[in-house]
Amino acid sequence: MVRAKYQGVLDLGEKLNIQNGDVSEDNGVLKVTGTAATQYEKNLLWDAIKVAGGDNPSDIMANIKVADETVYAIHTVASGETLGKIAKHYYGDAMKYKEIFAANTDILKNPDLIHPDQELVIPNL
C-alpha cells in the first residue's frame, strides 16, 4: 500500500539512475536508500517524496547520499538555452549565469556562446 503511494518516487529514482538503491517495507514504513549523482538529483527525489507524502511524511524513511558533493548539478545544454535560462532553472535567478560561466571557463570562452550537448557544471552556491 505505502509502496504504491510512493511509486512516483521510485520511478524517478530509476529515471535518475540512483546507484546502490534499495527499497524495503517494514510495518507500513517504506525504507529507501541510494546514491544520487548530484545534490540537485537528491533534491528532486525529496521534492517527489513531499508531493506524495507531505512536508513531514511518517510512512517513508529515505537515506539518499550524493556521489559528487563538489557540484550542484551537471547540465546538458539543449537547443535554444542560454546561461541565464539555465541559471533561472537551477537557482531561480537568471543573473547567477556568471557563476555558471565561471565554473565552466575550461569549455566556455564567452557567456553568450554555448552549444547544444555541452555538459556544464552547475556549482554549489
Side-chain angles (χ1 to χ4, degrees), residues 6-117:
Y6 291 103
Q7 189 59 51
V9 175
L10 302 178
D11 292 345
L12 178 59
E14 283 188 27
K15 181 181 173 190
L16 295 175
N17 197 26
I18 299 301
Q19 298 297 302
N20 307 314
D22 186 55
V23 179
S24 62
E25 194 173 334
D26 185 28
N27 292 329
V29 176
L30 193 65
K31 296 181 180 181
V32 181
T33 62
T35 304
T38 64
Q39 183 64 45
Y40 178 72
E41 290 182 359
K42 178 179 178 177
N43 291 354
L44 288 176
L45 284 169
W46 276 107
D47 290 346
I49 288 170
K50 290 176 183 176
V51 166
D55 284 342
N56 290 310
S58 59
D59 57 355
I60 187 169
M61 291 176 58
N63 183 7
I64 309 298
K65 295 178 175 31
V66 175
D68 186 355
E69 294 182 344
T70 64
V71 301
Y72 181 65
I74 302 294
H75 180 85
T76 302
V77 176
S79 180
E81 286 187 317
T82 64
L83 287 183
K85 186 184 281 188
I86 295 167
K88 178 82 171 162
H89 172 77
Y90 288 102
Y91 305 127
D93 181 356
M95 293 309 294
K96 301 274 185 194
Y97 80 89
K98 298 170 192 168
E99 285 82 350
I100 296 173
F101 177 70
N104 291 280
T105 55
D106 57 326
I107 60 170
L108 300 178
K109 303 304 173 211
N110 179 337
D112 296 322
L113 191 59
I114 63 174
H115 303 285
D117 299 323

